[in-house]
Amino acid sequence: MNYYDSMRYMDEVAKFGSVLGLESITELLKRLGNPQDQLQFVHIAGTNGKGSTAAYVANIMAVAGYRIGRYISPTIRCYCERIQITSKAKSSNVETIYITEEAVARHITRIADVCDEMALDGNPHPTPFEIETAMCFLEFIEQDCDLVVLEVGMGGRLDATNIIKNTRVATLTSISMDHMQFLGDTLAKIAYEKAGIVKENCKVVSYKQQPEAMEVIKSVCKEKDAELLMTNFDAIQNINYGIDKTVFDFTIAEKNFQNCNELKNLKIHLLGKMQVKNAAVAINTVLMLKNIGYEVTVESIYAGLDVTSWNGRFEKIYDNPIIILDGAHNEDSAYALLEALELYFPKQECIYVMGVLADKEYEKVLAITAEKAKSIYTITPKNARGLDAESLARCAMHYCGNVKVTSSVKEALQLAIEESDKGNREKTPIIVFGSLSFHEEVYSVLK
C-alpha cells in the first residue's frame, strides 16, 4: 500500500467502530512481536487537559536531552500529527516531527496483513484506534525513542493504550463526566476507569480531583502499591495572566532539586487558568521521572514550558479581531472556557462560532457559556457524528437571542468578523469552539 491506499484502508476499517477492551489489541501486538514491551511510558488519562499536559511533559523531557515519542488523539492539522517525535534541536530548544506518509503506509501494510490473519482465524478485526496504537509502537521503536508520552483514547482501564507494561509514571488529569455510555454514570465509576492505567508499583501523579474521584484514585494506588503525588494547586502563586503568555511561581514538593524548591517566573503560552494547573501536573510528572533516574534540570523545566504550544485549546489564532479557537465540548471544559472568557474579556460579550458532535453535552455547554455570547453562529462539523447546524441553533435559541445558522466554517467566520467590525471602537472577540474536527478548516480559512 502507498499512503493513499493506507488511508482508504483506514476508512474501510472504520466500520469496526470504537470498542473498549484489550482482547483484540493483545492478539494484534502479539502477532507483531509485542513492540510496546521495548518502550518506556508516561501514560496520561483524564477527561480534560491530557493533550496540554502531555505537550508540557514531552517538551521538558526533550529539552532535557531525551528523544520523546508522543501519541495523541484527536488530531487537528493532519493525519500524521497523531504520532510525533520531539527532541532537542540545535537552532531552538526542541524540534517536533510527525510520522511520515511513507512510514504510515509501511506500518499499516504490515498491520493490515496481520489483521487479515486474525480475521481468518476467527478473531475480531482490530478497530482503527487499535491499528493506530500498534503503528505508534512500531514507529517509536524505529525512531529509537527514549520515552513515550502516551495519551489514553477513552477511559483508561480498557483502552487499547493500556496494553503497555512499562509505565514509569501514570498521570491523571482533570476527571469529570464524559463518555458516560461507556465509562459509567457517576464520577466514581469514571475515575475507576481512568485510574485503570495505574500499574503495580508505578509512580502516579494526579490533578487535584473532586473528592469522589480522589477517593477512588487513592484506593487504586493503595491496591497497586503505587506511589501517589497529588498536585497541590495552593503551591501555585503570583499568577500574571496575559493574552499572549502567563507567568507564575510554583513551589515543588521535591527538596534539594538543584538547591531550588521554588520555581519563580515560569512562563507558559497556553491560555486559561486550567493551563497553569496542567503545567503544575506536568512538572510533578517530570519530577517523578527524575526520581526514578531520568536527568532533568531546572533549566529544562523553564525552557520546556516556554516552548510548548497546543493547537485548538483556547488558542489565539488571529489578532484583529481577536479570534480564539477552543475545544470545549463537555461540562467541565465549558466551565473552563467561561472562566477564560471572564478572565481575558471581563467587560465584553463575545461572538461565538460553534459546532459540536451529536453525542456531546452541547446543551450543557450552551447553558454554561451563553452568558458571554453576544451572538452565536452554528455550523455542522464534517464528521459522521456531527450535529447539524439547525439542531444546534434550535438549542442555542433557548440561551441567546441572536442565533444564526450557517452553511460552512468560512461563512460563519465571515459573518462573525463582519459583526465584530460593526460600530465598535474595540472589536468584539470571536470564540470558535466545540468539536476539534472542524478546527483545521478554521486555520485554512484564516490563512
Side-chain angles (χ1 to χ4, degrees):
M1 281 190 262
N2 60 28
Y3 177 72
Y4 299 101
D5 292 333
S6 66
M7 290 297 94
R8 282 194 291 270
Y9 173 78
M10 293 302 290
D11 286 341
E12 289 172 9
V13 299
K15 65 187 177 184
F16 297 110
S18 178
V19 179
L20 288 177
L22 300 179
E23 179 182 350
S24 185
I25 188 71
T26 297
E27 182 64 24
L28 173 60
L29 290 170
K30 178 183 176 182
R31 294 182 184 221
L32 290 168
N34 284 319
Q36 76 282 2
D37 291 347
Q38 301 176 49
L39 299 163
Q40 307 294 315
F41 297 92
V42 171
H43 203 184
I44 301 182
T47 308
N48 296 299
K50 294 191 298 294
S52 52
T53 302
Y56 289 133
V57 172
N59 283 313
I60 292 170
M61 296 306 293
V63 172
Y66 295 95
R67 189 166 178 81
I68 307 299
R70 186 165 161 231
Y71 179 44
I72 69 170
S73 64
T75 60
I76 295 176
R77 309 305 294 265
C78 65
Y79 181 85
C80 292
E81 182 184 359
R82 69 197 59 231
I83 297 175
Q84 307 181 3
I85 296 88
T86 301
S87 57
K88 196 167 186 178
K90 292 181 180 178
S91 58
S92 61
N93 281 315
V94 298
E95 176 184 55
T96 296
I97 60 173
Y98 297 165
I99 187 173
T100 65
E101 293 183 355
E102 181 277 329
V104 168
R106 178 163 40 81
H107 292 317
I108 289 182
T109 298
R110 179 184 174 190
I111 294 167
D113 288 341
V114 174
C115 290
D116 289 343
E117 292 172 4
M118 287 175 60
L120 286 173
D121 291 342
N123 295 287
H125 194 289
T127 66
F129 186 72
E130 290 167 336
I131 291 168
E132 288 160 356
T133 300
M135 175 167 58
C136 91
F137 297 146
L138 294 172
E139 179 67 9
F140 292 146
I141 289 173
E142 284 192 7
Q143 291 289 337
D144 197 23
C145 291
D146 301 304
L147 184 70
V148 173
V149 180
L150 188 70
E151 287 182 46
V152 164
M154 180 170 62
R157 184 175 64 92
L158 297 176
D159 185 78
T161 62
N162 207 31
I163 191 65
I164 62 174
K165 297 177 181 176
N166 303 324
T167 302
R168 308 312 302 271
V169 182
T171 298
L172 298 167
T173 64
S174 174
I175 295 174
S176 61
M177 302 299 287
D178 196 20
H179 296 299
M180 286 86 78
Q181 68 273 39
F182 299 105
L183 305 181
D185 57 1
T186 69
L187 194 59
K189 289 178 181 177
I190 292 173
Y192 177 76
E193 295 299 324
K194 306 284 186 183
I197 67 168
V198 176
K199 301 293 191 296
E200 293 283 347
N201 301 307
C202 80
K203 307 294 185 183
V204 182
V205 173
S206 180
Y207 193 96
K208 187 177 181 181
Q209 311 288 353
Q210 296 178 52
E212 186 180 355
M214 201 65 251
E215 185 177 335
V216 172
I217 292 167
K218 288 179 178 177
S219 175
V220 170
C221 289
K222 183 177 180 180
E223 177 188 337
K224 299 285 188 179
D225 198 23
E227 180 185 348
L228 171 63
L229 174 58
M230 174 64 58
T231 303
N232 178 15
F233 294 147
D234 291 336
I236 303 171
Q237 300 289 331
N238 303 319
I239 307 172
N240 183 7
Y241 296 103
I243 195 64
D244 293 304
K245 67 180 178 182
T246 301
V247 180
F248 65 99
D249 302 338
F250 182 55
T251 302
I252 59 177
E254 177 77 13
K255 304 297 182 185
N256 301 316
F257 179 39
Q258 293 181 244
N259 297 316
C260 171
N261 76 324
E262 188 172 12
L263 305 176
K264 287 185 170 292
N265 297 316
L266 293 162
K267 182 168 62 177
I268 59 174
H269 299 277
L270 305 188
L271 302 179
K273 290 184 178 180
M274 291 282 290
Q275 292 301 344
V276 178
K277 296 178 179 179
N278 292 339
V281 172
I283 292 170
N284 279 341
T285 299
V286 168
L287 292 176
M288 279 292 202
L289 288 169
K290 176 185 176 295
N291 288 342
I292 58 177
Y294 289 85
E295 295 182 5
V296 182
T297 64
V298 168
E299 291 75 19
S300 61
I301 291 176
Y302 276 89
L305 293 178
D306 191 16
V307 299
T308 297
S309 61
W310 187 221
N311 292 335
R313 278 69 171 186
F314 207 84
E315 176 191 12
K316 188 179 77 165
I317 57 172
Y318 208 75
D319 285 313
N320 190 25
I322 289 176
I323 300 180
I324 301 290
L325 190 59
D326 191 66
H329 63 278
N330 59 29
E331 185 175 5
D332 204 39
S333 58
Y335 279 118
L337 174 58
L338 179 63
E339 182 180 61
L341 295 178
E342 291 175 337
L343 175 66
Y344 296 110
F345 312 113
K347 298 180 180 179
Q348 289 177 280
E349 289 185 308
C350 301
I351 299 167
Y352 291 177
V353 173
M354 186 177 179
V356 297
L357 302 184
D359 58 353
K360 297 301 179 181
E361 300 177 300
Y362 56 89
E363 185 163 7
K364 285 185 179 179
V365 172
L366 282 164
I368 292 164
T369 60
E371 66 183 72
K372 290 289 288 184
K374 180 181 179 183
S375 55
I376 301 175
Y377 295 89
T378 64
I379 66 161
T380 305
K382 293 179 180 178
N383 185 294
R385 291 152 52 212
L387 182 71
D388 64 274
E390 292 80 5
S391 296
L392 180 58
R394 283 194 295 271
C395 183
M397 287 173 188
H398 294 293
Y399 304 98
C400 178
N402 187 15
V403 178
K404 296 182 178 67
V405 175
T406 65
S407 60
S408 65
V409 170
K410 182 176 182 179
E411 181 190 12
L413 287 171
Q414 287 175 338
L415 292 173
I417 291 170
E418 287 173 9
E419 181 182 346
S420 176
D421 287 341
K422 285 181 180 176
N424 292 311
R425 182 179 300 175
E426 187 175 9
K427 294 184 178 181
T428 308
I430 298 170
I431 316 300
V432 185
F433 69 101
S435 171
L436 293 172
S437 62
F438 69 86
H439 283 194
E440 177 55 24
E441 287 184 78
V442 177
Y443 291 117
S444 298
V445 169
L446 293 176
K447 276 181 181 178

